[in-house]
Amino acid sequence: MSSTRRPTSRSVRRTAVAATSAALAGVLLAACGSGGDSGSGTTGSGPVHIKVWAWYPQFKQVVAEFNKTHKDVQVDWVQAGVGQDEYTKLKTALKAGQGAPDVVMLEFQELPTIQLTKGLLDMGKYGANDDKGNYVDWAWKQASDGDHVYAIPVDGGPMAMMYRADLFKKYNLKVPTTWAEYKEEAAKLHKADPNAYMTDFGSDETAAGWRQGLTWQAGSRPYTYSASKLPDIGVKLNDDNAKKVYEYWGDLVKNKLVDTQSYATTDFYNGLSSGKYATYIAAGWGPGYLSSVAAKTSGKWRVAPLPQWTAGGNAQGDWGGSSFSVTSQTKHPKEATEVARELFGTSQAAWKIGIDQAYLFPLVNPILNGAYFQDKKYDFFGGQQINKVFVPAANGIGTFDWSPFQDFAYNTDTSEVGKALQGQTDWSSVNDNVQDQVTSYASKQGFKVSK
């Protein structure tokens, strides 16, 4: 689950990058050296209690289900904040050497940063590799490094296009299957109603993952990173595919075919519910978000596959995704690993709560590809079985590496996009500017950067 599911809190991603920067160089030196996990835990008498930090909706019920079905291990759940709020607390506790939970919910893009501090337990030592075949390949690879397992995937954000079927009918729009068609229909819509837009371009920091997901679909792979190969890292944020995406959306912006409201604002929410926006390019967790902020439009939306750059293509991208990690401070690594693996895992009872009440998008194959999830009908989408769109998207996503300085990269990208929006720089220069700044930053932190 992305913290973007709660957009008002996503804005907290605007983190204290400077503070992170000061600490990262020292962390990198430590990471390049040897390091050990915490010792095995002792159980004593009675069940072992494992403290878990997480912000999943309806999670209390999932915890109750786990505790009901496990006698020797019990979960003590703490809601320690959403997204960056939680991460800041976690980093503080790890630096202090105390106060971290046994198990923590982390988004995929945060894993390299936390792992670099030696803050995560290698669950591969406690049997987690047995779960490898249960998960979609790209998600498992984001959570592991060879046989080292630093997280257990939970939910993801395969991207698709949600659209207002009533508006498409009213303006005689074709559901686009390519980005070229998307632009054509955007022009047709805006000509028919100058107050309407095909969508809103996510230009602020809360949408940094959205933009990353679109370049992911286009084939951009900005990082080549493995913790086992530190301090080496590949950084290529200005490849042709990334430039293609930014120049495309820059063209839509310049021609006023899309709006440019910041995500997580009242104007953006109103645009989704008022008919100002005809489509919402979003992730597998998006239906839950959309149905909450645009409840009065229930029944009018449908879901279609993400438009392609090449007609007939099947390229997919992801926006957001979350996992459970075990911290290196746990005194009970075996039991904490069990909790990370089984809180959701393949539990149909837990996932029924997650799917029906929290709109989680499962990355575990038996649930993802099971009939219950795929055949589920959603009233908000006119009874459409929307997961028949999202599941193939999830299964079609390619591998993708994150960097251990993702916050800096997102902040830099947002800053350069903002300059382009203000006309202070050309859209064609955005990716090159981001590349220069991020590679300079990484080098100063001690990484050996290949471009």
Side-chain angles (χ1 to χ4, degrees):
M1 171 185 188
S2 168
S3 59
T4 51
R5 194 186 302 254
R6 298 175 185 272
T8 53
S9 56
R10 179 71 185 205
S11 58
V12 299
R13 173 166 292 286
R14 201 176 305 279
T15 51
V17 172
T20 304
S21 173
L24 191 55
V27 167
L28 177 59
L29 289 174
C32 290
S34 61
D37 297 321
S38 61
S40 59
T42 56
T43 58
S45 59
V48 172
H49 282 258
I50 298 298
K51 180 179 289 185
V52 176
W53 287 2
W55 68 80
Y56 292 112
Q58 309 302 325
F59 193 54
K60 181 178 180 180
Q61 298 177 62
V62 176
V63 171
E65 178 64 25
F66 180 94
N67 287 340
K68 184 178 71 176
T69 55
H70 292 73
K71 295 181 179 178
D72 297 332
V73 183
Q74 294 288 285
V75 169
D76 299 330
W77 172 45
V78 175
Q79 213 284 23
V82 177
Q84 200 62 42
D85 284 347
E86 183 205 76
Y87 304 149
T88 299
K89 294 175 182 175
L90 177 65
K91 291 170 184 174
T92 300
L94 291 173
K95 185 176 181 180
Q98 60 181 357
D102 299 285
V103 175
V104 63
M105 173 183 175
L106 294 173
E107 293 168 283
F108 289 131
Q109 74 271 11
E110 291 294 327
L111 290 172
T113 301
I114 305 298
Q115 195 277 334
L116 189 65
T117 68
K118 294 291 183 182
L120 302 182
L121 181 81
D122 177 8
M123 288 185 281
K125 298 178 180 178
Y126 300 94
N129 276 304
D130 291 346
D131 294 350
K132 180 178 180 179
N134 283 341
Y135 291 89
V136 290
D137 184 64
W138 63 269
W140 186 261
K141 287 179 176 175
Q142 292 203 1
S144 61
D145 186 11
D147 288 335
H148 303 290
V149 182
Y150 297 110
I152 301 296
V154 178
D155 86 332
M159 298 179 75
M161 183 185 73
M162 304 179 203
Y163 68 97
R164 284 282 298 270
D166 57 326
L167 297 181
F168 268 61
K169 182 177 181 181
K170 177 181 179 180
Y171 294 111
N172 194 29
L173 303 179
K174 174 188 176 183
V175 177
T177 59
T178 66
W179 288 115
E181 291 178 352
Y182 189 85
K183 180 182 175 181
E184 292 173 3
E185 300 307 305
K188 187 187 299 182
L189 170 64
H190 196 57
K191 182 178 181 180
D193 182 356
N195 294 316
Y197 296 91
M198 196 62 161
T199 194
D200 183 60
F201 172 70
S203 59
D204 64 329
E205 189 168 343
T206 65
W210 179 80
R211 298 191 299 273
Q212 187 80 88
L214 291 175
T215 60
W216 187 341
Q217 187 223 8
S220 177
R221 295 293 183 270
Y223 309 107
T224 305
Y225 175 72
S226 168
S228 63
K229 296 180 179 178
L230 285 169
D232 295 336
I233 186 170
V235 180
K236 190 67 174 176
L237 289 148
N238 59 343
D239 61 29
D240 290 344
N241 292 318
K243 287 185 173 182
K244 175 175 65 178
V245 171
Y246 277 53
E247 290 177 5
Y248 173 84
W249 285 95
D251 179 65
L252 293 182
V253 169
K254 285 188 291 186
N255 286 288
K256 302 186 186 304
L257 300 181
V258 294
D259 201 10
T260 55
Q261 294 291 338
S262 294
Y263 281 12
T265 63
T266 300
D267 286 342
F268 175 65
Y269 301 151
N270 289 341
L272 290 172
S273 60
S274 67
K276 182 179 182 181
Y277 304 142
T279 73
Y280 176 39
I281 306 297
W285 46 262
Y289 165 65
L290 185 62
S291 63
S292 65
V293 303
K296 69 180 184 181
T297 61
S298 179
K300 297 179 179 178
W301 291 85
R302 300 291 185 273
V303 180
L306 203 61
Q308 298 290 309
W309 288 102
T310 302
N314 184 35
Q316 308 296 339
D318 182 86
W319 176 19
S322 62
S323 62
F324 281 128
S325 292
V326 175
T327 76
S328 56
Q329 288 184 12
T330 185
K331 302 300 182 185
H332 308 288
K334 175 176 176 291
E335 291 82 2
T337 298
E338 180 180 350
V339 168
R341 294 172 64 188
E342 298 181 9
L343 259 169
F344 282 98
T346 58
S347 169
Q348 294 193 14
W351 273 112
K352 192 171 189 307
I353 298 168
I355 293 169
D356 290 349
Q357 301 183 42
Y359 278 94
L360 299 188
F361 191 92
L363 295 174
V364 63
N365 284 316
I367 306 298
L368 172 70
N369 295 305
Y372 182 80
F373 186 59
Q374 292 207 34
D375 295 344
K376 183 177 177 61
K377 297 179 180 178
Y378 292 80
D379 291 341
F380 185 82
F381 293 92
Q384 183 185 1
Q385 293 172 309
I386 63 173
N387 293 322
K388 291 189 180 296
V389 176
F390 281 113
V391 170
N395 286 325
I397 292 173
T399 56
F400 189 93
D401 291 342
W402 298 102
S403 77
F405 36 81
Q406 198 61 44
D407 284 339
F408 181 86
Y410 273 172
N411 286 338
T412 303
D413 184 79
T414 299
S415 176
E416 292 300 319
V417 166
K419 292 177 183 176
L421 280 175
Q422 298 300 319
Q424 298 172 2
T425 189
D426 292 335
W427 282 93
S428 60
S429 300
V430 168
N431 304 94
D432 290 337
N433 293 342
V434 174
Q435 170 74 5
D436 289 344
Q437 293 173 59
V438 171
T439 53
S440 175
Y441 173 84
S443 297
K444 290 177 181 177
Q445 307 313 310
F447 291 97
K448 292 178 61 177
V449 181
S450 60
K451 305 177 183 178

